Amino acid sequence: MKPLLAYKCDVAIVGLGPTGAMLANLLGQYGWSVIGLERDVEVYPATRAIHFDDETMRVFQFAGLSREIARTSEPFIEMEFKRTPHGKALLRTEVGSQDHRYGHACAWWFHQPTLEGHLREGLKRFPDVHPLYGVAVDEITQTEDGVVAIGRNRCGECVRVQAKFLVGCDGGRSFVRKSAGISLDSANFDERWVVVDTRARTGNKDKSLPPNHAQICDPRQPATYVPLAGPYYRWELFVTDGKSVEEATDPTFVRQQLRAFVDLDKIEIVRIACYNFHGLWARGWVSKRIILAGDAAHQMPPFLGQGMCSGIRDAHALAWRLNLILSGRSNANILDDYSHERSAHVCEIIRGAVLLGNLIQTRNRVLAFLRDNLIFRVVSLIKPSAFLKAVNRKRPLKGGCLGRSPLAGHLALQPQITLPDGRIELLDETLGKDFAVLARKGSLSQHELVLDVLRRAVPIRVLEFGVASENADITDHTGVLAQWFSQHGIEFVLIRPDRYVYDAGSSEELERAVRALISCLSIGISHPSVQSGAA
């Protein structure tokens, strides 16, 4: 009889892809014990996700991994919409804001196996985070005070993990989601595309290949071209004329299609795969102590490059809430807040991705003509960035744990600031891992009692900024913070751990914001401290 390997922890994570590994890194930073259960021993060798945005890089920064990830990723600025592969662009637009308002370049290409390697390496920093690779979970049971997951490793040994919470990050076919009895809603988008991953034969960037990401909006053959990080290039080809998977992925046929885009002597094909691009989301993300995140909770067409980004946001939004629950500062009801907040945000992104996808892949020549001339050409003459803004995810959160200010739900800015010792850092490096109050120098002097109430309720850092002569906690040498505060007529901003603004206002409004936050987090009620379980 095979031995039983038993573990206890605060949080079990099923699936250690980008979302699960990110969540494990974040919980490790908070000091909680984590067991990660991953079916595969090695990182999946093929590239699936290819893009992340500035907010995702900011989460990597929070986790202390941004420098390594930036070293192996590549920022980019522009994308194009074209009728034919070598034709003139109908619309050329910058991707997102280019002012680094959140501290990083707005858009990045990356190589997923390399990125996942960074995330897995990051887990080694935490003595209480234990990834178990090669373990397939096949049974999950909830108890009154926890969850038990059972699986088997590659040696056939039974693995039993007892946790206070279990998070399913196990992908679109999620066993965790099915075990919890959670169903999916659909955006009624289900289209088949062939993904062709290639590598430049030079082993480096090939200057003969187009430098910009392009959507080829040809009704005869819709396609996407992506120059990835390093020597990697991708083409995505819409499956036309009812072809079967076997026909659409036949290497001879695929090479014939690629000749319209590239000299085949310049590249070697690494992988050909067929995907169904879906728009799906879970009807509920929480079932007692089982929680969903990433593709287990939502799947979206890739046209906005927001699939993995949304999973990373899930991980950050969930990590700080679990930290409050496990430390006894809040109760598990705030997980419902996580579910409502993230579901609404993801649904908005999915709708934008579906809209863009339908524009790109239409095969109706009349609709394509109207699109090219009434949308792309007109927008290119007026304000190109307005088009992507209409479908992009750079919108505030709606609902959830948010205050009254018009700024609530927006990402806080992250300019460079100067510390008292003269060092220049990005703002987040001074905010810590928990809540933060950022205020103008001297604006909080009459509100120490309110701040004491807040300090007793949640871990928080209070920082005042000013000019160099004011001897503030941080110096706003770029003037970005002062301009931001003046633009919105505020004297303080209360920032959540995931860097979204909870509330902002005049100093007289601070007490109201604090009381509302405490109520939102179910703080002030007696919660027994949840002791950390050693792995």
Side-chain angles (χ1 to χ4, degrees):
M1 184 175 179
K2 294 290 184 180
L4 172 68
L5 304 178
Y7 302 85
K8 292 182 70 175
C9 62
D10 297 311
V11 180
I13 301 174
V14 180
L16 289 176
T19 299
M22 190 73 253
L23 179 60
N25 273 281
L26 296 172
L27 291 173
Q29 286 195 312
Y30 283 120
W32 301 111
S33 61
V34 177
I35 299 292
L37 300 161
E38 168 56 49
R39 179 186 298 271
D40 296 325
V41 175
E42 303 294 335
V43 169
Y44 187 68
T47 293
R48 290 164 291 178
I50 55 177
H51 160 267
F52 62 80
D53 59 18
D54 47 358
E55 181 182 357
T56 303
M57 182 61 96
R58 196 172 180 180
V59 183
F60 295 150
Q61 177 192 346
F62 186 101
L65 299 171
S66 58
R67 290 183 180 178
E68 280 299 300
I69 291 173
R71 185 178 58 79
T72 56
S73 304
E74 292 181 9
F76 70 99
I77 295 175
E78 288 188 326
M79 69 177 296
E80 299 174 342
F81 295 85
K82 306 171 76 171
R83 186 63 179 258
T84 60
H86 303 291
K88 184 179 179 181
L90 299 168
L91 171 64
R92 180 179 289 113
T93 180
E94 293 182 344
V95 180
S97 57
Q98 300 303 316
D99 55 8
H100 287 211
R101 66 184 61 179
Y102 304 119
H104 302 281
C106 193
W108 299 75
W109 299 127
F110 72 100
H111 182 246
Q112 184 170 344
T114 301
L115 175 80
E116 290 196 47
H118 292 316
L119 297 179
R120 287 192 177 192
E121 191 68 23
L123 299 179
K124 298 177 182 178
R125 300 173 293 171
F126 310 112
D128 290 328
V129 175
H130 300 281
L132 303 180
Y133 300 114
V135 176
V137 175
D138 54 22
E139 183 180 337
I140 297 174
T141 306
Q142 295 212 58
T143 64
E144 282 190 14
D145 57 355
V147 187
V148 174
I150 296 175
R152 293 190 179 276
N153 62 21
R154 294 296 175 92
C155 298
E157 298 168 317
C158 182
V159 177
R160 183 183 189 274
V161 177
Q162 181 180 344
K164 295 175 177 64
F165 295 93
L166 181 145
V167 185
C169 302
D170 52 337
R173 299 178 181 177
S174 173
F175 174 77
V176 174
R177 186 184 66 237
K178 294 172 184 175
S179 296
I182 298 174
S183 59
L184 295 170
D185 279 332
S186 174
N188 296 316
F189 187 94
D190 188 4
E191 301 292 350
R192 185 175 292 170
W193 285 67
V194 168
V195 172
V196 187
D197 285 315
T198 71
R199 188 175 187 274
R201 294 187 185 277
T202 62
N204 299 297
K205 274 279 184 287
D206 191 320
K207 294 182 179 179
S208 69
L209 292 174
N212 286 338
H213 166 43
Q215 299 286 358
I216 313 302
C217 305
D218 184 347
R220 295 171 300 175
Q221 179 56 73
T224 299
Y225 163 73
V226 185
L228 302 176
Y232 300 100
Y233 295 83
R234 169 177 286 185
W235 281 268
E236 297 174 356
L237 306 166
F238 185 55
V239 177
T240 62
D241 304 324
K243 291 184 180 63
S244 67
V245 172
E246 291 74 18
E247 291 171 325
T249 56
D250 178 74
T252 300
F253 176 67
V254 169
R255 291 177 66 85
Q256 179 183 336
Q257 285 184 296
L258 287 186
R259 285 192 179 96
F261 298 90
V262 62
D263 180 351
L264 294 181
D265 291 335
K266 300 284 187 180
I267 60 169
E268 56 180 320
I269 295 176
V270 176
R271 182 182 71 131
I272 301 172
C274 191
Y275 288 93
N276 281 358
F277 291 167
H278 297 297
L280 302 168
W281 59 89
R283 290 186 176 179
W285 293 33
V286 178
S287 176
K288 297 180 182 177
R289 289 176 176 258
I290 294 177
I291 311 159
L292 301 181
D295 285 356
H298 48 78
Q299 298 154 56
M300 63 188 68
F303 303 109
L304 288 176
Q306 287 295 311
M308 189 193 79
C309 296
S310 295
I312 298 297
R313 288 187 206 105
D314 297 343
H316 207 182
L318 181 56
W320 67 263
R321 288 174 168 94
L322 284 174
N323 180 50
L324 289 178
I325 296 167
L326 291 167
S327 62
R329 293 179 179 271
S330 186
N331 63 32
N333 291 338
I334 64 171
L335 294 177
D336 292 331
D337 177 80
Y338 158 79
S339 177
H340 297 151
E341 177 181 289
R342 293 299 310 132
S343 179
H345 199 240
V346 161
C347 287
E348 192 171 25
I349 297 171
I350 290 174
R351 292 187 187 100
V354 167
L355 171 62
L356 184 57
N358 284 330
L359 281 173
I360 291 167
Q361 68 183 22
T362 183
R363 304 202 67 214
N364 185 301
R365 293 178 181 274
V366 174
L367 291 178
F369 176 83
L370 294 174
R371 172 202 62 200
D372 296 349
N373 292 280
L374 296 182
I375 297 178
F376 290 161
R377 293 192 189 280
V378 171
V379 169
S380 67
L381 294 173
I382 302 172
K383 193 174 182 182
S385 62
F387 175 73
L388 279 184
K389 188 175 290 185
V391 294
N392 205 359
R393 70 102 201 145
K394 282 289 192 284
R395 299 177 182 176
L397 300 177
K398 296 178 180 178
C401 185
L402 299 172
R404 298 181 185 177
S405 169
L407 268 179
H410 290 263
L411 275 174
L413 300 186
Q414 189 189 194
Q416 289 187 336
I417 51 87
T418 303
L419 298 174
D421 63 6
R423 286 183 296 124
I424 295 176
E425 295 278 8
L426 287 171
L427 176 64
D428 286 4
E429 298 303 309
T430 69
L431 296 183
K433 305 300 180 188
D434 299 291
F435 287 86
V437 173
L438 184 64
R440 290 184 184 273
K441 173 67 175 176
S443 62
L444 300 179
S445 58
Q446 304 299 316
H447 301 279
E448 279 302 318
L449 290 178
V450 174
L451 292 174
D452 285 343
V453 169
L454 188 56
R455 290 186 182 101
R456 290 195 298 270
V458 294
I460 192 156
R461 185 168 293 180
V462 178
L463 294 170
E464 292 188 330
F465 70 88
V467 297
S469 61
E470 290 181 310
N471 295 318
D473 298 312
I474 56 177
T475 298
D476 177 30
H477 69 267
T478 65
V480 168
L481 293 177
Q483 182 180 4
W484 187 39
F485 274 48
S486 296
Q487 178 184 353
H488 295 281
I490 59 175
E491 293 177 298
F492 80 91
V493 61
L494 180 48
I495 302 172
R496 302 186 337 181
D498 54 9
R499 308 316 191 200
Y500 281 94
V501 173
Y502 171 76
D503 211 344
S506 66
S507 57
E508 289 74 21
E509 295 176 292
L510 178 61
E511 181 173 355
R512 172 194 55 76
V514 168
R515 302 293 182 190
L517 176 62
I518 291 172
S519 175
C520 177
L521 298 177
S522 302
I523 293 170
I525 306 167
S526 177
H527 303 301
S529 177
V530 181
Q531 297 299 315
S532 177

